[in-house]
Amino acid sequence: MPVPARAGTEADDAARARALRKMRTFATGLLAFAALVFLLVHLFTDLTGVWGFVARASEAAMIGAIADWFAVTALFRHPLGLPIPHTAIIPRKKDTLGRSLSEFVAANFLQSATVSQKILSAQVTRRAGEWLAEEGNQTRVVRRAGQGLEYVLARVSDEDIEALTRDVIVPRLVATRKAPALGMLLREVVDDGAHHRLVDLVVGEAHSWLESNPQVIDEIVKQRSPDWAPRFLSDVVSSRLRREVLSWIAEVRDDRYHRARQALDSWLVQIADDLRTPTSLADRAENVLDELLTQPGVVDAVLEVWASLKRLLRAAVIDETGEVQARVRRLLAEAAQRMTTDEEFAAGLDARIATTAGDLVESFGGEIASVISDTIAGWDAKEASDRIELYVGRDLQYIRINGTVIGALVGTLIHALTLLLP
């Protein structure tokens, strides 16, 4: 299985490869230099005096360099291609190393206290407010939000909405009893008095209409009065009836606690209770609602609403000088000001963010850290080893260099001790 896409760019990887080759060449050069010195000293000197120190130093330097070369190479591959036990550790143990690294990260980093404290010390709210206070960033946020909305709208077709409405929403609504929910909604409306404005509007319009059209009552009285009744009597009755009706409607309009209003409230409460219980009214309401939902025009109406909503949303997204985007910018500016000036608000928001992040990490830390082990498990062993060596191999070459230098110093010290001892 191929290794996943590289985290860095090709230029970064090329630079790392050059640095690795340079350090590897330098470390190998030190080993070659120590071997050359060792060979020359043994060929052309008697190994006495200072030459003894040089010989022992070069010998120990070679030993240290070769030992550290073996140790570094054994991490990534078999030295000299020989299948020596406990070599090529990373290719052979990459899955185990991935699990260990995942457990280490989860146990030491993805902890509630650690993450919460880091978020609190970072002052996320204040820094976010400072960033958001700049007009350019506000414009960027609004534009990105608009692009995201346009992306969603472009990928939700009318056919999808039609299929969703016809095949999912309407059948689900038909299969569900709607009368209890309707009764509960009606009861909430009555309890909150939300219908009073509608009653005020209807009563007020009725009073104005009757006041502007007195002939309506006159016509009713004329049609209902007997033929033998004199004309003046019909006029008196219609005039009196018109005054009484207008007076009664005015009382209902002006008195919020009129008996007619109370009777209407009681009637609506009774309807709401009947809808919430298995009654004939609830059954009739259910049948009416089902018939309405199964009408072909329901899907067309939903599509028309969706088309209108898309046009409105697109207009708001496209018009950067429009009222919608201007209002969003003002809201962002107000939020940014409060985030940067209201220390109590910022501290409270930071605390909530820290608590939420800590809870998430505490609950899902293991799953989050498992990304490491799962990713490493999916890598090809050799390519994974090469990639890891590319990133850390340059620093590991210092082990070879240090081994060469320290070996030379230790060889010199040991030779000095052998001369001093009896």
Side-chain angles (χ1 to χ4, degrees):
M1 182 181 299
V3 72
R6 298 180 177 181
T9 63
E10 293 293 334
D12 293 336
D13 289 347
R16 292 189 181 95
R18 287 193 299 271
L20 175 59
R21 285 195 300 270
K22 180 179 179 181
M23 292 303 300
R24 186 182 290 161
T25 301
F26 182 69
T28 305
L30 284 181
L31 172 59
F33 177 74
L36 179 62
V37 170
F38 176 81
L39 181 61
L40 292 176
V41 169
H42 278 75
L43 289 177
F44 299 106
T45 70
D46 55 1
L47 301 180
T48 59
V50 69
W51 298 115
F53 285 93
V54 174
R56 297 298 177 266
S58 60
E59 181 181 5
M62 286 192 301
I63 296 172
I66 294 173
D68 288 337
W69 166 82
F70 182 90
V72 171
T73 303
L75 289 173
F76 304 103
R77 62 188 62 85
H78 295 297
L80 300 177
L82 301 176
I84 303 173
H86 304 295
T87 59
I89 296 174
I90 291 179
R92 290 190 305 105
K93 299 287 188 178
K94 69 177 183 68
D95 294 347
T96 302
L97 293 173
R99 287 193 297 270
S100 299
L101 180 60
S102 177
E103 294 171 359
F104 176 79
V105 171
N108 294 277
F109 298 98
L110 297 181
Q111 294 295 316
S112 177
T114 304
V115 174
S116 299
Q117 186 59 39
K118 183 63 177 179
I119 292 177
L120 289 175
S121 63
Q123 297 182 331
V124 176
T125 302
R126 180 185 61 78
R127 294 167 66 179
E130 292 175 351
W131 183 86
L132 196 58
E134 300 180 9
E135 293 185 4
N137 293 331
Q138 296 171 13
T139 302
R140 187 177 294 108
V141 170
V142 174
R143 185 178 295 118
R144 291 292 176 83
Q147 292 172 352
L149 181 59
E150 176 62 26
Y151 178 86
V152 173
L153 292 176
R155 279 153 181 79
V156 179
S157 64
D158 293 346
E159 290 76 12
D160 295 333
I161 298 298
E162 180 181 3
L164 178 66
T165 304
R166 183 183 60 252
D167 301 333
V168 178
I169 297 179
V170 170
R172 182 64 60 85
L173 289 176
V174 170
T176 304
R177 284 192 61 83
K178 299 163 287 297
L182 183 61
M184 186 179 300
L185 176 61
L186 180 59
R187 185 58 186 266
E188 289 292 332
V189 169
V190 175
D191 291 342
D192 293 340
H195 64 298
H196 289 163
R197 290 184 180 275
L198 178 61
V199 175
D200 293 341
L201 177 63
V202 172
V203 174
E205 289 296 325
H207 185 276
S208 300
W209 186 80
L210 284 175
E211 203 172 32
S212 302
N213 298 274
Q215 71 278 5
V216 175
I217 295 180
D218 295 342
E219 291 294 333
I220 295 175
V221 173
K222 184 184 297 185
Q223 292 174 3
R224 298 297 178 91
S225 61
D227 295 338
W228 51 265
R231 177 66 179 272
F232 77 91
L233 183 60
S234 298
D235 294 340
V236 171
V237 173
S238 63
S239 178
R240 178 61 181 272
L241 181 60
R242 184 170 59 253
R243 287 197 304 271
E244 291 297 330
V245 172
L246 286 173
S247 175
W248 183 80
I249 295 177
E251 290 177 1
V252 176
R253 180 193 61 190
D254 299 333
D255 186 3
R256 298 297 297 272
Y257 301 99
H258 194 275
R259 287 181 300 175
R261 287 178 178 261
Q262 294 178 1
L264 176 63
D265 290 350
S266 300
W267 179 65
L268 292 176
V269 168
Q270 183 62 46
I271 291 178
D273 292 340
D274 290 342
L275 290 173
R276 296 169 65 183
T277 56
T279 60
S280 58
L281 177 62
D283 294 336
R284 289 197 301 270
E286 201 73 46
N287 293 332
V288 171
L289 291 173
D290 289 343
E291 290 180 2
L292 291 175
L293 288 171
T294 53
Q295 294 296 320
V298 172
V299 177
D300 296 335
V302 171
L303 288 177
E304 292 178 0
V305 172
W306 169 246
S308 300
L309 180 61
K310 281 200 301 184
R311 285 195 299 270
L312 291 174
L313 291 175
R314 280 203 169 97
V317 167
I318 295 173
D319 187 7
E320 295 188 359
T321 61
E323 177 61 25
V324 174
Q325 293 203 14
R327 184 172 298 180
V328 173
R329 289 191 186 92
R330 288 196 297 268
L331 292 175
L332 292 176
E334 293 172 1
Q337 183 178 7
R338 187 176 185 188
M339 292 164 71
T340 54
T341 59
D342 191 339
E343 296 183 358
E344 183 178 356
F345 170 77
L349 186 57
D350 281 344
R352 286 192 290 272
I353 294 174
T355 301
T356 302
D359 293 342
L360 290 174
V361 165
E362 193 73 24
S363 302
F364 304 103
E367 287 79 1
I368 296 173
S370 66
V371 173
I372 300 174
S373 58
D374 294 343
T375 302
I376 293 177
W379 288 357
D380 176 79
K382 183 179 184 306
E383 293 189 15
S385 177
D386 293 341
R387 292 292 299 160
I388 294 173
E389 184 179 17
L390 185 64
Y391 276 79
V392 302
R394 179 178 179 273
D395 295 326
L396 293 178
Q397 298 306 312
Y398 282 104
I399 297 177
R400 297 177 58 191
I401 296 171
N402 293 334
T404 305
V405 175
I406 297 300
L409 295 176
V410 171
T412 303
L413 179 60
I414 293 175
H415 183 66
L417 290 176
T418 59
L419 294 178
L420 293 176
L421 292 176

